[in-house]
Amino acid sequence: MVFMNKKSSQSQSQSQSQNQSQEDQSQDQSQNQSTNKDTAAPKTSTKDNASEPSQSQSQNQSEDTPVKNLADTPPSRAPSFDELQTAKGQYRPVAKAVGNWLDNINMDALNYLNEQAENIFYRKGVTFTVYSDAKNIERMIPFDIIPRIIAASEWRLIEAGCKQRITALNAFLHDIYHDQAIMKADIVPASYVYASGCYEPWMMGIELDKPIYSHISGIDLIRDESGKFCVLEDNLRTPSGVSYMLESRKISETLLSDMFADTSIMGISDYPDRLKACLASSTSKYDPQVVILTPGRFNSAYYEHAFLAHEMNVPLVHGYDLVVEDSKVYMQGIRGKVQIDVIYRRIDDPYIDPLAFQSDSILGVSGLMSAYRAGNVVIVNAPGTGVADDKSLYPFVPDMIKFYLNEEPILPNIETYQCRKPDELKYVLDNLDKLVVKETQGSGGYGMLIGPTSTKKEIEEYRLRLLENPAGFIAQPTISLSTNPTAVSDGIAPRHIDLRPFILSHGDGTVDIVPGGLTRVAMVEGSLVVNSSQGGGIKDTWVVDDSHLQSETKKPNGNGQAGKYTPVPLDANNSDHANYYDRVQPKEAGYEMLDDAPMILLLSTASHLIWLGRYSERLYYYDNVMKQLVKDDLKKSQLKHLISHLGFDADADESFKTMKAQMLSDLERNIIPNIVQSIDDNVQEAKGVIGKDTAELYNLIKRLSSAGTYRAATLQLHACNAAMKQEHPTVTCFWQLGRHFEQLERAVLLEEDSIEVSLEFKYWINELPENTRWRELTRLANQMIRSKKFSDFQLISKEFNIILRQGV
């Protein structure tokens, strides 16, 4: 396993590095708004201890029931826009169902629902990595069960604005790498474009089959104090979070099934199909072979990479799975090389091709840009796309819309002062204590002045920096994000939110947006920072049809009151089991009938399945040894035999009692924890081909082991093995091959009769696809069965490990 661990360590470092640039970009704008800490309303302990309704600005007013459990906004600052209620403290018509639900649910029931939601995320392994933490700790993303409501009439405005904006940005990207008309017209300064760290000279003059650069985009929106939607930032490189959007909706459908069924909520479940259609539209080739290129499991968005690959039924590949030959890109499968037509890459530009960009990258593919320039593969999103979401170019997007589309912007920018302009620089210098000032090339909130919270000395020091290089800075006013009621530790309180719709730009120029997007919520009181690494969480976003609103969403019950909501137990809803027997696997493209297409199993994934089988068998065995030690079922001679042949960290010359204690200590502290970690590592790498139910079962092994309950972890392995036997026959076969090789190796090492396990090992070799190199082991297995010599096992072991290395 040494060869895998060395690669994994280097990959982890680069995966974290490239991930940080994505996370920094998405954090930056939200952090810029964090100065207005006092705008959040104080918490309310319970529904019964209600405060007066907030005095938020309103777009819609009606004589609805007041919200009893939301508190006032402090009068010292402009109040945030409340998305649930009007300025008079009455429910907005489109949110009436949620308001009635909140009126009739107690905190115990609400907390129960949030706990159930957390359990679902826990079971599925929906985590993210905090890179600012020295231990890179995986954390469960906080989820709040109270949904965010957007009226369909408001959504149409958002949808139109996002389509308009991304169309202009794609036109801008094509222009700057070709005619540069907007730069020649001096609307966007050429110096700003060339100075961007995301500008890629490699892209100059490349004629794309379909001239779309950002196929998958995320535009972050906020509502200001008046309730108007504004663009906070554009994310055009590798925007993440769509898996959270889809998983949040599944939770709502499960836990709020009654209310969900009675509300006209626009669906989002077909996003994976829409995404796959968008990717396929990026090329003129019929039925193109699509893959998702991931930097690996150490990337904070890896859950999403595996999730989307599984939902779209396409291979999840690493850089080492791909090879470029004759300016064409191939993935290395167990049956041979398969050409790739579209790569949905989740890797930043510097890492995608060490020959074109960062030379020490092991995450990308050598020669990939050569294949791209030759037109033999499409990279989604295109390299160099990030220049369009550079902060220094953000103020010019309205001008881009006017220049390319001859239209007025539908969604406004936040007011931005360009310090390169003398009059705007003067205003910024005069108001540093009221503004947020940022470096145009800064990220992650670094190199930034937050005026309202800075000392006079900090402001004066920053003033000097600003005067030295005005063109390197922009400034913005502080804006208080809108709020939504959120369940907190001691009640319900308003918390600030933003919205990230996901926009799909098809090759024919059409734009597709699923209704809703990802709502991020600042879970900390007073905070305007919604990013998960800063303690932010997520909510489900309901776009509700408001064309035929009724005076009452729920019919009154016999007492003339809306019916009280009763939480639905997790096992009461069967929607998650609709596809229980439909085990989706990546299939090779180009076949008229999907059933005729062979499964694509990468060499690397086959290796991970084998190691998964080996470590699973190993856990069984060592758990049994531990059980025998605890029950005193082993003699001293047997302990010595195990120590000398299996390498326990114990002294065979010590007394029986000491040997036993040393072996138990080694098992509990080293052997079993390391085996469990190895099982988890290989499950993560094989997520693209094993079912979601199976992956959830394996997630529990790690959780049980982390709690020190190793016996329970081993018992959980029985359920995992039963699930693995139900997977695709090819997947099961490689996993079984690993299990039986482990049994064979142990029998040989312990000098036990190996005939029976040799025959089992040979059986699983013969079950493998015929045109794989693994079938070559049949001859060596037959030779060992006949001779029963250790030297023949060594030949099998040597060849076995050589083939394993080919996959990694």
Side-chain angles (χ1 to χ4, degrees):
M1 199 61 179
V2 174
F3 65 93
M4 293 176 66
N5 291 338
K6 181 178 180 181
K7 185 92 170 184
S8 177
S9 176
Q10 190 176 3
S11 175
Q12 176 180 10
S13 176
Q14 289 194 6
S15 176
Q16 292 170 351
S17 175
Q18 82 95 29
N19 180 81
Q20 190 64 46
S21 67
Q22 299 173 29
E23 287 297 307
D24 286 347
Q25 188 208 11
S26 63
Q27 288 178 32
D28 191 51
Q29 290 283 351
S30 293
Q31 287 176 333
N32 292 342
Q33 309 305 324
S34 65
T35 62
N36 198 4
K37 293 182 180 178
D38 299 329
T39 57
K43 292 180 289 187
T44 305
S45 58
T46 65
K47 175 168 78 81
D48 298 322
N49 294 330
S51 304
E52 293 292 320
S54 73
Q55 301 301 312
S56 304
Q57 295 296 325
S58 172
Q59 290 178 318
N60 305 301
Q61 297 184 7
S62 64
E63 300 297 326
D64 295 324
T65 307
V67 178
K68 299 184 179 67
N69 50 6
L70 299 181
D72 282 336
T73 301
S76 59
R77 294 187 184 274
S80 302
F81 180 83
D82 191 309
E83 301 219 2
L84 182 70
Q85 62 182 18
T86 68
K88 294 182 178 180
Q90 299 163 343
Y91 295 128
R92 302 185 187 281
V94 74
K96 190 176 179 183
V98 173
N100 289 338
W101 169 63
L102 288 175
D103 278 343
N104 290 283
I105 189 171
N106 60 47
M107 284 310 302
D108 288 340
L110 197 61
N111 289 332
Y112 168 80
L113 289 173
N114 269 331
E115 289 172 4
Q116 295 287 23
E118 182 180 357
N119 288 338
I120 293 173
F121 274 19
Y122 186 87
R123 190 180 73 234
K124 291 185 175 183
V126 184
T127 62
F128 65 96
T129 303
V130 182
Y131 288 97
S132 60
D133 193 297
K135 297 180 180 179
N136 297 154
I137 295 176
E138 284 188 337
R139 298 181 185 175
M140 209 70 60
I141 191 164
F143 175 82
D144 182 59
I145 194 67
I146 304 174
R148 186 250 192 97
I149 309 298
I150 299 176
S153 55
E154 291 179 318
W155 174 253
R156 285 191 287 271
L157 176 72
I158 296 172
E159 185 178 41
C162 288
K163 287 182 178 180
Q164 179 194 59
R165 193 173 181 96
I166 197 60
T167 301
L169 286 167
N170 267 311
F172 170 72
L173 286 164
H174 183 268
D175 186 21
I176 64 172
Y177 290 120
H178 291 84
D179 296 336
Q180 301 185 334
I182 200 168
M183 297 154 70
K184 293 173 183 176
D186 202 27
I187 294 174
V188 175
S191 59
Y192 274 46
V193 174
Y194 296 140
S196 172
C198 297
Y199 179 77
E200 297 293 355
W202 260 97
M203 293 297 295
M204 284 296 298
I206 294 182
E207 295 298 334
L208 302 181
D209 182 21
K210 304 289 183 70
I212 301 296
Y213 287 74
S214 183
H215 300 79
I216 299 101
S217 314
I219 296 180
D220 290 347
L221 306 176
I222 64 166
R223 298 185 88 160
D224 64 13
E225 293 86 349
S226 69
K228 180 175 62 179
F229 281 100
C230 304
V231 177
L232 186 65
E233 70 174 21
D234 305 292
N235 298 281
L236 276 66
R237 305 177 215 180
T238 53
S240 62
V242 73
S243 60
Y244 295 153
M245 175 188 78
L246 295 170
E247 294 288 19
S248 297
R249 176 56 55 86
K250 288 180 180 178
I251 287 177
S252 292
E253 291 174 338
T254 300
L255 299 181
L256 305 179
S257 58
D258 289 345
M259 183 168 60
F260 198 92
D262 292 339
T263 309
S264 299
I265 303 168
M266 299 177 71
I268 61 172
S269 61
D270 62 344
Y271 176 84
D273 294 332
R274 294 186 182 193
L275 174 59
K276 191 171 184 179
C278 176
L279 295 172
S281 76
S282 65
T283 177
S284 297
K285 185 172 181 180
Y286 172 74
D287 194 15
Q289 182 66 63
V290 177
V291 300
I292 295 180
L293 175 60
T294 176
R297 61 178 298 259
F298 299 107
N299 183 273
S300 67
Y302 179 73
Y303 174 84
E304 178 162 300
H305 306 167
F307 175 88
L308 290 176
H310 193 274
E311 293 297 310
M312 290 194 294
N313 197 22
V314 301
L316 180 67
V317 302
H318 299 72
Y320 52 74
D321 292 314
L322 308 183
V323 62
V324 177
E325 295 179 359
D326 298 326
S327 294
K328 296 179 181 179
V329 184
Y330 299 89
M331 56 182 154
Q332 303 181 88
I334 59 172
R335 293 180 173 87
K337 295 192 290 288
V338 178
Q339 186 175 349
I340 296 172
D341 304 303
V342 180
I343 298 176
Y344 177 23
R345 54 90 174 221
R346 299 299 294 261
I347 296 178
D348 285 347
D349 287 358
Y351 302 95
I352 61 175
D353 183 351
L355 298 182
F357 303 113
Q358 190 163 309
S359 60
D360 64 345
S361 171
I362 67 167
L363 301 177
V365 187
S366 296
L368 178 57
M369 284 302 293
S370 297
Y372 183 67
R373 290 185 68 92
N376 293 326
V377 70
V378 177
I379 300 175
V380 176
N381 288 335
T385 298
V387 67
D389 61 26
D390 189 295
K391 286 191 297 296
S392 65
L393 293 170
Y394 164 84
F396 297 100
V397 178
D399 296 325
M400 296 177 195
I401 293 172
K402 296 173 185 177
F403 183 80
Y404 295 113
L405 307 181
N406 195 27
E407 298 173 358
E408 290 296 320
I410 297 172
L411 294 173
N413 276 15
I414 294 173
E415 186 177 11
T416 302
Y417 303 99
Q418 301 178 49
C419 297
R420 70 183 182 95
K421 298 181 178 180
D423 56 337
E424 296 189 16
L425 173 62
K426 182 179 184 305
Y427 176 83
V428 171
L429 291 172
D430 291 342
N431 294 275
L432 282 176
D433 60 333
K434 303 179 182 68
L435 301 172
V436 174
V437 188
K438 307 176 296 181
E439 295 177 338
T440 57
Q441 296 298 316
S443 62
Y446 299 108
M448 181 171 74
L449 176 76
I450 304 174
T453 60
S454 299
T455 65
K456 290 184 178 180
K457 180 180 179 182
E458 290 170 338
I459 290 174
E460 291 308 311
E461 290 176 349
Y462 208 92
R463 184 188 303 274
L464 296 176
R465 292 184 58 202
L466 187 54
L467 288 170
E468 287 178 3
N469 179 29
F473 296 87
I474 61 172
Q476 294 175 328
T478 60
I479 294 179
S480 181
L481 313 185
S482 61
T483 63
N484 200 78
T486 302
V488 296
S489 59
D490 54 355
I492 299 175
R495 290 291 184 263
H496 295 289
I497 56 176
D498 76 352
L499 176 67
R500 175 177 291 182
F502 294 95
I503 301 99
L504 301 175
S505 300
H506 289 251
D508 61 1
T510 59
V511 180
D512 182 27
I513 310 177
V514 290
L518 176 67
T519 289
R520 298 184 297 181
V521 53
M523 303 297 289
V524 178
E525 182 180 6
S527 174
L528 298 172
V529 182
V530 298
N531 191 270
S532 57
S533 62
Q534 305 295 317
I538 58 176
K539 287 175 173 285
D540 191 13
T541 307
W542 293 6
V543 176
V544 178
D545 182 10
D546 58 343
S547 59
H548 302 289
L549 284 173
Q550 303 296 322
S551 59
E552 292 291 337
T553 302
K554 281 185 174 290
K555 294 181 180 180
N557 61 16
N559 298 322
Q561 299 176 340
K564 292 197 173 185
Y565 175 78
T566 303
V568 179
L570 286 179
D571 57 359
N573 188 286
N574 294 322
S575 61
D576 286 343
H577 306 297
N579 299 319
Y580 186 80
Y581 295 103
D582 181 19
R583 299 193 176 275
V584 180
Q585 302 292 341
K587 296 290 187 70
E588 189 171 332
Y591 286 80
E592 290 295 330
M593 300 295 294
L594 189 61
D595 292 341
D596 296 334
M599 174 191 174
I600 295 176
L601 184 63
L602 301 171
L603 285 175
S604 63
T605 309
S607 296
H608 289 297
L609 289 170
I610 286 173
W611 278 112
L612 177 59
R614 293 198 64 176
Y615 282 117
S616 298
E617 188 62 34
R618 201 172 295 182
L619 181 59
Y620 269 141
Y621 178 77
Y622 281 113
D623 175 72
N624 186 56
V625 170
M626 178 180 283
K627 184 167 58 177
Q628 289 179 308
L629 287 170
V630 171
K631 292 183 176 181
D632 283 332
D633 288 343
L634 297 175
K635 300 177 182 178
K636 185 175 183 178
S637 60
Q638 291 175 306
L639 296 188
K640 289 185 174 183
H641 184 72
L642 290 174
I643 291 171
S644 61
H645 288 79
L646 295 183
F648 277 93
D649 186 13
D651 190 346
D653 294 329
E654 290 287 349
S655 65
F656 174 81
K657 185 176 180 180
T658 301
M659 278 193 294
K660 174 184 170 181
Q662 290 175 340
M663 291 176 70
L664 281 171
S665 175
D666 195 23
L667 284 165
E668 292 179 348
R669 297 183 181 181
N670 301 309
I671 295 176
I672 291 181
N674 288 338
I675 292 173
V676 170
Q677 182 60 53
S678 295
I679 288 174
D680 182 66
D681 290 343
N682 286 286
V683 167
Q684 295 297 327
E685 297 290 355
K687 268 188 174 179
V689 298
I690 62 175
K692 290 187 289 186
D693 294 334
T694 304
E696 288 181 20
L697 291 172
Y698 275 112
N699 285 337
L700 190 55
I701 291 181
K702 183 179 180 180
R703 311 299 178 191
L704 292 170
S705 176
S706 298
T709 53
Y710 301 124
R711 181 62 184 156
T714 306
L715 293 174
Q716 175 65 16
L717 190 59
H718 288 281
C720 297
N721 285 357
M724 285 298 296
K725 292 176 181 178
Q726 303 300 316
E727 292 291 341
H728 189 282
T730 303
V731 170
T732 300
C733 198
F734 277 97
W735 170 74
Q736 290 279 26
L737 187 67
R739 289 188 65 205
H740 289 87
F741 182 80
E742 180 73 15
Q743 293 175 9
L744 175 61
E745 183 178 68
R746 187 170 61 244
V748 171
L749 290 176
L750 293 177
E751 299 174 350
E752 299 172 350
D753 184 9
S754 61
I755 293 296
E756 184 175 347
V757 290
S758 298
L759 292 172
E760 283 288 325
F761 179 62
K762 177 186 172 183
Y763 170 82
W764 287 108
I765 295 173
N766 290 331
E767 289 295 303
L768 293 172
E770 292 185 3
N771 52 345
T772 65
R773 188 177 172 185
W774 294 96
R775 293 294 293 268
E776 298 174 11
L777 292 171
T778 303
R779 177 182 57 82
L780 295 175
N782 286 332
Q783 184 174 319
M784 178 185 170
I785 292 170
R786 290 193 300 268
S787 69
K788 303 179 184 177
K789 292 181 178 179
F790 180 73
S791 58
D792 287 323
F793 169 76
Q794 288 180 308
L795 291 175
I796 292 179
S797 182
K798 180 180 178 181
E799 184 67 16
F800 191 87
N801 285 294
I802 288 174
I803 300 174
L804 268 180
R805 288 187 179 92
Q806 284 185 330
V808 184

